[in-house]
Amino acid sequence: MARLAVIAGGGALPARIAAAHPDALFVTFDPQAGNLPDGAEVLHASFERAGALFAGLKAAGVTEVVFAGGLTRPKLNPLRFDAKTMALAPAVMAALKAGDDGLLRTVVGAFETEGFAVRGAADLVPDLTAPAGRLAGRAPAKADLADIDRAVTILTTLGPLDIGQGAVVVQGLVMGIETVQGTDAMLDFVAGTRARFRRDGGVLVKAPKPGQDLRVDMPALGPQTVTAAAEAGLNGIAFAAGRVLLLDRDEMIVRAQAAGLFLLGQEV
Amino acid sequence: MARLAVIAGGGALPARIAAAHPDALFVTFDPQAGNLPDGAEVLHASFERAGALFAGLKAAGVTEVVFAGGLTRPKLNPLRFDAKTMALAPAVMAALKAGDDGLLRTVVGAFETEGFAVRGAADLVPDLTAPAGRLAGRAPAKADLADIDRAVTILTTLGPLDIGQGAVVVQGLVMGIETVQGTDAMLDFVAGTRARFRRDGGVLVKAPKPGQDLRVDMPALGPQTVTAAAEAGLNGIAFAAGRVLLLDRDEMIVRAQAAGLFLLGQEV
């Protein structure tokens, strides 16, 4: 019998998975986590005691795990490490220097070594992604499609470097390339700096990096990003079909319609 | 006899060239330009009348031209175009869509077609660039050198896409990739968004794009960028040796020393 554990980070994703998998066990690293479903079975864990976490999962009959929502990098106290965390520490330290992808690969590898199957949230809750086609708004104009193409080229070119998953192009001008600060910070930057170029519109494109493990690190869009894109004066948002999480799709569509933005699933 | 015309944009570069070439003719597209050297011979020109510009240069005995300082994209009135501008317009319109490099190549090509040799400011005033080595500050630490390497890799990878010429890396985290808004806007972004990552230091790297025409489009650093880099909390600035303009190098060094930043010419 497969039993699922949800490694719960912030945001609404844990609750979405709980709705589809009511018997899942929820693992949280945050003693104050306020986003766990009512009545769920919860395992409180610490990065400092990986051995205790794995033992607790096995004791609960867990065979597969899903990472749901961003985990903040904790401050760790090496004096509190258990033997398992101690054994994992060198690989984690090396991975931290190699970028976020490396860290995730290391964490995923540790769960797999312990015998857990790692599932993707989008596999467990299929409507978290959307196929190619328009979800909201008018059809993109020719200039929008050209901007989408250029942004896709940028993301594809940068992909091997493990940087961002988003870019903003405005009538051919590249105005934002996502870095570690994230999509919304990039959109704020565009909003604050675009006026002098006197060009209307533009697009945000989100797509995974080549080789990115979509089970644990799928790019995500949510309602806040729709609002930020509108405030940045963009015409719309395009996302890689089936490969970008849409967190609260209904609210995204409502906001996009209200702001006159298109939302477009794109084969990338 | 070679005579030089300086196509004067904003900033201090026209005056630097004038000091080395006192008999140069100055061409300005800005009737209010306040940065032309006292006593210089000035030709007022308009993008709408390229034929008049070329004729004026030839009448003044000009054989070579140098582009000095950024030109702002003007608002043009097609009704005022002379025959030469009309003839150039289709190529310029096509180039505008292809990015800044394309536009510059078209403008340079137009001058060359008219028989003018296009010179680079750095050729005419050699100390506008600096060779490999340290200009200011302490020696970069190992972490700084790793950040420089990563930024160089990013710029090299993005080069063919005609985007920016600068990147900021902070202890392995990519925090800024220069887009059309320029280096100082990127540094402001880093200053405003880095706190939550709790990592000190970092570097700004400036380097030309592969294939960039360094005669007319060399990346530039100036005192304001040194101040902005300090305000962004960086440890230093590295620039491609011999291939980045240092506008007012003395003031750059003074500010870098005062802020504890290194300035480093780097073989890229």
Side-chain angles (χ1 to χ4, degrees):
Chain A
M1 291 293 292
R3 190 181 184 200
L4 178 70
V6 180
I7 314 291
L13 200 48
R16 290 293 303 279
I17 296 173
H21 296 266
D23 65 338
L25 171 67
F26 282 76
V27 176
T28 179
F29 295 92
D30 177 0
Q32 268 86 48
N35 64 335
L36 301 181
D38 287 341
E41 184 182 344
V42 175
L43 179 63
H44 287 275
S46 159
F47 293 106
E48 292 155 338
R49 291 178 288 117
L53 167 58
F54 293 140
L57 291 174
K58 288 170 187 171
V62 168
T63 53
E64 44 188 37
V65 300
V66 58
F67 292 82
L71 299 174
T72 48
R73 289 186 182 203
K75 280 193 174 175
L76 298 179
N77 179 356
L79 296 177
R80 299 188 55 203
F81 285 6
D82 69 11
K84 181 64 74 179
T85 294
M86 203 79 82
L88 292 171
V92 170
M93 297 302 291
L96 276 171
K97 294 187 180 168
D100 283 342
D101 275 6
L103 180 60
L104 270 165
R105 269 193 297 273
T106 302
V107 171
V108 167
F111 277 88
E112 289 177 331
T113 299
E114 293 291 324
F116 300 102
V118 175
R119 302 284 303 273
D123 285 342
L124 295 164
V125 187
D127 77 346
L128 282 171
T129 62
R134 196 145 36 98
L135 282 183
R138 63 167 174 74
K142 197 175 155 196
D144 298 321
L145 295 173
D147 285 346
I148 290 170
D149 275 354
R150 183 138 166 76
V152 167
T153 301
I154 291 164
L155 295 177
T156 306
T157 303
L158 277 178
L161 299 183
D162 184 15
I163 303 178
Q165 308 163 327
V168 172
V169 179
V170 177
Q171 291 189 45
L173 293 181
V174 182
M175 291 206 182
I177 298 177
E178 186 174 332
T179 47
V180 68
Q181 299 93 327
T183 306
D184 290 356
M186 172 180 62
L187 291 170
D188 285 349
F189 173 72
V190 172
T193 56
R194 66 175 292 167
R196 71 184 164 94
F197 297 95
R198 296 187 214 144
R199 299 206 187 185
D200 294 331
V203 301
L204 163 67
V205 175
K206 287 282 284 190
K209 299 169 260 190
Q212 190 167 349
D213 187 340
L214 297 179
R215 295 173 303 168
V216 293
D217 187 29
M218 194 176 274
L221 290 168
Q224 172 51 34
T225 304
V226 175
T227 299
E231 287 172 353
L234 302 185
N235 284 342
I237 300 174
F239 52 86
R243 300 196 294 144
V244 171
L245 292 178
L246 304 181
L247 305 171
D248 199 346
R249 177 201 309 226
D250 293 345
E251 178 65 15
M252 287 179 67
I253 292 172
V254 166
R255 293 196 192 187
Q257 300 284 22
L261 292 193
F262 62 78
L263 294 180
L264 184 70
Q266 178 87 1
E267 296 293 353
V268 173
Chain B
M1 291 295 291
R3 188 178 186 203
L4 178 70
V6 180
I7 315 293
L13 201 48
R16 290 294 302 279
I17 296 172
H21 296 264
D23 65 338
L25 171 67
F26 282 75
V27 177
T28 180
F29 295 92
D30 177 0
Q32 268 87 45
N35 63 336
L36 302 180
D38 287 342
E41 185 181 345
V42 174
L43 179 62
H44 287 274
S46 160
F47 293 105
E48 291 155 338
R49 290 176 291 117
L53 167 58
F54 293 141
L57 291 174
K58 288 169 188 171
V62 168
T63 54
E64 45 188 36
V65 300
V66 59
F67 292 82
L71 300 174
T72 48
R73 290 186 181 201
K75 279 194 174 174
L76 298 179
N77 180 355
L79 295 177
R80 299 188 55 203
F81 284 6
D82 69 11
K84 180 65 74 178
T85 293
M86 203 78 83
L88 291 171
V92 169
M93 297 303 291
L96 275 172
K97 293 187 182 170
D100 282 343
D101 276 6
L103 180 60
L104 269 165
R105 269 193 297 273
T106 303
V107 171
V108 167
F111 276 89
E112 290 177 332
T113 299
E114 293 291 325
F116 300 103
V118 175
R119 301 285 304 272
D123 286 341
L124 295 165
V125 187
D127 77 347
L128 281 172
T129 62
R134 196 144 37 98
L135 282 184
R138 64 167 173 74
K142 197 176 155 196
D144 298 321
L145 295 174
D147 285 347
I148 291 169
D149 275 355
R150 183 138 166 77
V152 167
T153 300
I154 291 163
L155 296 176
T156 306
T157 303
L158 277 177
L161 298 184
D162 185 14
I163 302 177
Q165 307 162 329
V168 171
V169 179
V170 177
Q171 292 189 42
L173 293 182
V174 182
M175 292 206 181
I177 298 177
E178 186 174 332
T179 46
V180 69
Q181 299 92 328
T183 307
D184 290 356
M186 171 180 62
L187 291 171
D188 285 349
F189 173 71
V190 172
T193 56
R194 66 175 293 167
R196 73 184 163 95
F197 297 94
R198 297 188 213 144
R199 300 206 188 185
D200 294 330
V203 301
L204 163 67
V205 174
K206 286 283 284 190
K209 298 170 260 190
Q212 190 167 349
D213 187 340
L214 297 179
R215 295 174 303 170
V216 294
D217 186 30
M218 195 176 275
L221 290 167
Q224 172 52 34
T225 305
V226 175
T227 298
E231 287 172 352
L234 303 185
N235 285 341
I237 300 174
F239 52 87
R243 300 195 294 144
V244 172
L245 292 177
L246 305 181
L247 305 171
D248 199 345
R249 176 200 310 228
D250 293 345
E251 178 66 15
M252 286 178 68
I253 291 172
V254 166
R255 292 195 192 187
Q257 299 285 22
L261 292 192
F262 62 79
L263 295 179
L264 183 71
Q266 177 88 0
E267 296 294 354
V268 173

